[in-house]
Amino acid sequence: MWNTIFPYLLSGISVGGQYALIAIGYTMVYGILRLINFAHGDVFMVAGIVMVYLAASGLPLYVTIPLVLVITAAIGFLIERVAYKPLRSAPRMSVMISAIGVSYTLQNLVLYITGGLNKQYPTIPWISDSVTIGSATTKLVTVITPVLTIVLVVALVLLINKTKIGMAMRAVSKDFETSQLMGIKINSVISVTFVTGSFLAAVGSVLYFTNYPTVIQTSGAMPGLKAFVAAVFGGIGSIPGAVIGAFIIGIMENIIKGLDVILFKAGVISKPLGLATFSDAFTFALLIIILVVKPTGLFGEKATDKV
Amino acid sequence: MSLLHISDLRVSYGGIEALKGISLDVEKGEIVTLIGANGAGKSTTLRAISGLVPLKTGTITYDGQVISGQSPQKIVSEGICMVPEGRRVFPNLTVLENLRIGAYLRKDDIQPDIAHVYQLFPRLKERSWQLAGTLSGGEQQMLAVGRALMMRPKLLMMDEPSLGLAPLVIRDIFRIIRTLHEEGITILLVEQNANAALRVADSAYVLETGSLGMHGTGEELLNDPRVKEAYLGKSRGQ
Ligand SMILES: Nc1ncnc2c1ncn2[C@@H]1O[C@H](COP(=O)(O)OP(=O)(O)O)[C@@H](O)[C@H]1O
Ligand SMILES: [Mg+2]
């Protein structure tokens, strides 16, 4: 029984870690701007595309991977400056629409560049190697992802709670005007938030796409949406919430993928029921249930409108 | 020359003119109070000085330099600090962090300033690690004042510090205002509690729907029959 479940659990934890790295970007931006950054999933996809082209240029991986992280962070910075900052005092709906615009702009830009073809994601040695742990044979990335995720989350939490810029981020997330009275440049703090979120999404993209052969302009949609649900589930605005939500969704969705096999081996069913089909539906059913039962999520604050 | 000089200040929100050309002076070392009814434009005046709202016309000069049009960061760094209306402490930061963030622009050692604030407000010291959101209204007001002091202001602007507080706490706040005055800080105090404000003020202005009315020493306005009629009626004897 355990041996049957374990491989699914393991890949669930891994996928959960990848969702977590994306979900943090959603939750941080929401925390500071009360904005659902619809373009975040596409930033994640663009990180994948940037990797494809950088790897094709023949640069060694120890150069391309850091470059992907830096370029993606820069893209996050630019998006905020170009599409959100000019709307700082506009109604929130306008910013939301701008975010949707950015999302489609990025997808179409990539469509134009790639011609809409699936682009082969480079194989990153070492993390693509196979390992066997107990009953599971998987790529090393599966094991590395949750460890790296936890390390990055701890670093981020320390940044937010122990540093001056982190203190400014917490202040700005509560009160723009009073933060300005303290001498905080809110635009810089907001930029730091976007850079951090995009950087983490880029790390997530390297880990995520290593498990998939190709990247295409729509590749960010599903993981982006899952990560968004994770952020809502955890309580949008809360970083621990987003991480826990992401792990729960990753694990549940992978267990459901294996449910036929698990139940069959356990003798509960005698022929496959095709339950794996429901793995995506589960995530979105979960979203609906949270929104109905506990709109603030696991760790969310009460919805307060910022003055 | 006065520390702060405002001339012909106009501010409008959308089409509505909140300040219709006011001019006032704050002399170094004085307590100047601005009294007026709700909606008169008192907060707008302070927000304009802080750089939070753009001016339509007028200039604000501080210490001989024009500061109107500057960013709030620049203005704070010049030593003009505000205790905003409604206190606005950061509820998700601890008491100590609220003080630290008050010194956000400072690069030197802030320990002596923290000690000084704790000496002025011993209750804050006891609650150093508590989240500011869990403090009582009076404690939050003290924290808001302490936070503003962390920048070592030359000009401290206070927007209705007595609002919504119990009489005993109000007395504490005004005692602190006197102490800060004795320390040499210039204070621009906005109040609806005209009685208490006029008593501490060296100089006072009455603001009426965006225009300045009477002006005089605190004493003069306190004894002015028109001020008594309009602003001191209810709060007399407090
Ligand atoms: N952000 C704002 N947008 C539009 N009108 C405002 C805004 N803030 C203040 N006002 C208006 O400007 C006038 C002056 O307000 P304010 O300066 O807050 O008065 P006071 O502090 O004396 O009570 C009022 O009529 C108020 O409704
Ligand atoms: Mg006011």
Side-chain angles (χ1 to χ4, degrees):
Chain A
M1 181 70 183
W2 171 247
N3 282 348
T4 323
I5 295 176
F6 182 68
Y8 294 104
L9 184 64
L10 190 63
S11 69
I13 292 171
S14 179
V15 172
Q18 289 150 13
Y19 290 165
L21 291 171
I22 313 172
I24 290 168
Y26 280 111
T27 218
M28 282 180 81
V29 166
Y30 184 86
I32 213 149
L33 287 183
R34 304 291 183 271
L35 162 72
I36 311 288
N37 181 13
F38 287 107
H40 191 56
D42 302 289
V43 169
F44 167 84
M45 172 274 296
V46 167
I49 291 291
V50 170
M51 181 68 184
V52 167
Y53 281 89
L54 282 179
S57 75
L59 287 167
L61 277 169
Y62 62 83
V63 177
T64 50
I65 294 176
L67 259 182
V68 167
L69 305 185
V70 171
I71 292 172
T72 311
I75 291 171
F77 171 84
L78 273 180
I79 289 172
E80 196 281 320
R81 283 292 153 122
V82 172
Y84 305 151
K85 181 173 170 245
L87 297 171
R88 200 74 86 218
S89 51
R92 209 164 303 155
M93 187 56 80
S94 314
V95 194
M96 205 104 103
I97 291 165
S98 186
I100 294 171
V102 173
S103 166
Y104 281 100
T105 307
L106 290 177
Q107 287 187 28
N108 282 285
L109 211 61
V110 171
L111 174 68
Y112 175 78
I113 292 168
T114 61
L117 298 173
N118 276 300
K119 287 286 171 182
Q120 177 116 36
Y121 199 77
T123 304
I124 302 172
W126 192 60
I127 67 168
S128 303
D129 293 353
S130 282
V131 285
T132 303
I133 305 163
S135 57
T137 300
T138 179
K139 287 182 180 179
L140 200 51
V141 68
T142 313
V143 187
I144 291 169
T145 301
V147 177
L148 188 58
T149 304
I150 300 298
V151 169
L152 289 171
V153 168
V154 169
L156 179 66
V157 169
L158 287 177
L159 173 86
I160 290 175
N161 289 324
K162 300 285 175 209
T163 67
K164 200 167 173 182
I165 181 73
M167 185 166 74
M169 284 163 105
R170 281 179 288 146
V172 172
S173 76
K174 281 291 171 197
D175 191 335
F176 274 15
E177 222 177 68
T178 311
S179 298
Q180 283 181 293
L181 287 175
M182 303 297 116
I184 298 169
K185 292 200 176 90
I186 54 170
N187 288 328
S188 312
V189 172
I190 292 168
S191 290
V192 170
T193 307
F194 274 82
V195 164
T196 310
S198 308
F199 175 87
L200 293 175
V203 176
S205 94
V206 173
L207 301 169
Y208 180 89
F209 288 117
T210 293
N211 280 327
Y212 292 84
T214 58
V215 193
I216 195 166
Q217 72 274 4
T218 51
S219 293
M222 211 32 132
L225 212 48
K226 300 270 179 67
F228 170 65
V229 175
V232 173
F233 181 44
I236 194 148
S238 156
I239 290 173
V243 174
I244 291 170
F247 277 113
I248 291 176
I249 286 175
I251 292 167
M252 290 308 288
E253 140 187 326
N254 275 274
I255 298 276
I256 293 170
K257 274 186 191 155
L259 210 51
D260 271 357
V261 181
I262 295 164
L263 292 179
F264 181 75
K265 292 215 175 150
V268 179
I269 53 173
S270 51
K271 63 177 172 52
L273 299 176
L275 294 173
T277 328
F278 294 104
S279 77
D280 286 346
F282 159 78
T283 310
F284 301 109
L286 184 66
L287 176 64
I288 295 169
I289 293 168
I290 304 154
L291 290 177
V292 172
V293 178
K294 196 167 187 306
T296 54
L298 293 178
F299 299 97
E301 303 170 24
K302 282 200 191 68
T304 44
D305 261 322
K306 205 158 32 171
V307 266
Chain B
M1 193 184 57
S2 44
L3 182 64
L4 184 81
H5 174 70
I6 296 178
S7 74
D8 189 35
L9 173 63
R10 277 170 209 275
V11 173
S12 54
Y13 296 107
I16 304 147
E17 205 163 51
L19 293 178
K20 301 164 184 162
I22 65 166
S23 301
L24 61 83
D25 281 281
V26 178
E27 299 298 331
K28 203 176 173 94
E30 283 194 337
I31 299 182
V32 177
T33 188
L34 195 57
I35 59 172
N38 216 347
K42 305 182 297 297
S43 298
T44 302
T45 308
L46 297 194
R47 288 157 50 80
I49 299 169
S50 292
L52 289 174
V53 289
L55 318 189
K56 210 164 110 191
T57 67
T59 45
I60 302 172
T61 319
Y62 169 76
D63 217 0
Q65 284 180 320
V66 175
I67 56 160
S68 33
Q70 303 276 15
S71 69
Q73 290 76 36
K74 178 81 174 81
I75 292 170
V76 177
S77 69
E78 295 289 334
I80 303 182
C81 297
M82 171 131 92
V83 180
E85 184 175 348
R87 316 184 248 283
R88 307 277 281 265
V89 294
F90 297 106
N92 56 336
L93 268 56
T94 64
V95 167
L96 184 57
E97 283 177 326
N98 267 278
L99 295 181
R100 285 222 182 97
I101 210 161
Y104 191 77
L105 291 177
R106 280 180 52 186
K107 304 238 167 353
D108 54 333
D109 183 19
I110 62 169
Q111 282 310 321
D113 302 79
I114 292 176
H116 178 227
V117 170
Y118 281 163
Q119 187 202 334
L120 284 173
F121 307 108
R123 296 179 70 111
L124 295 183
K125 186 173 186 182
E126 294 160 25
R127 288 163 172 67
S128 194
W129 300 104
Q130 214 169 303
L131 289 180
T134 65
L135 299 178
S136 73
E139 289 160 353
Q140 290 193 5
Q141 187 64 63
M142 289 167 190
L143 182 56
V145 175
R147 181 179 65 182
L149 292 178
M150 291 300 294
M151 252 329 264
R152 297 198 180 156
K154 296 196 194 82
L155 174 64
L156 181 66
M157 304 193 291
M158 305 174 95
D159 196 344
E160 303 208 32
S162 71
L163 191 71
L165 299 180
L168 270 181
V169 185
I170 295 179
R171 227 172 48 201
D172 273 353
I173 295 286
F174 277 93
R175 185 178 51 78
I176 289 296
I177 292 173
R178 283 204 176 87
T179 309
L180 298 175
H181 175 56
E182 280 157 22
E183 286 181 8
I185 301 175
T186 309
I187 295 169
L188 177 53
L189 172 67
V190 156
E191 264 298 345
Q192 278 193 64
N193 186 343
N195 198 329
L198 291 175
R199 277 167 201 276
V200 294
D202 298 299
S203 166
Y205 292 85
V206 178
L207 193 58
E208 285 166 342
T209 53
S211 308
L212 280 181
M214 278 166 286
H215 166 49
T217 65
E219 183 92 32
E220 282 165 6
L221 262 61
L222 205 53
N223 295 318
D224 188 293
R226 288 164 297 170
V227 173
K228 273 188 177 159
E229 164 80 27
Y231 301 104
L232 300 177
K234 273 179 240 148
S235 56
R236 182 171 317 173
Q238 188 171 48

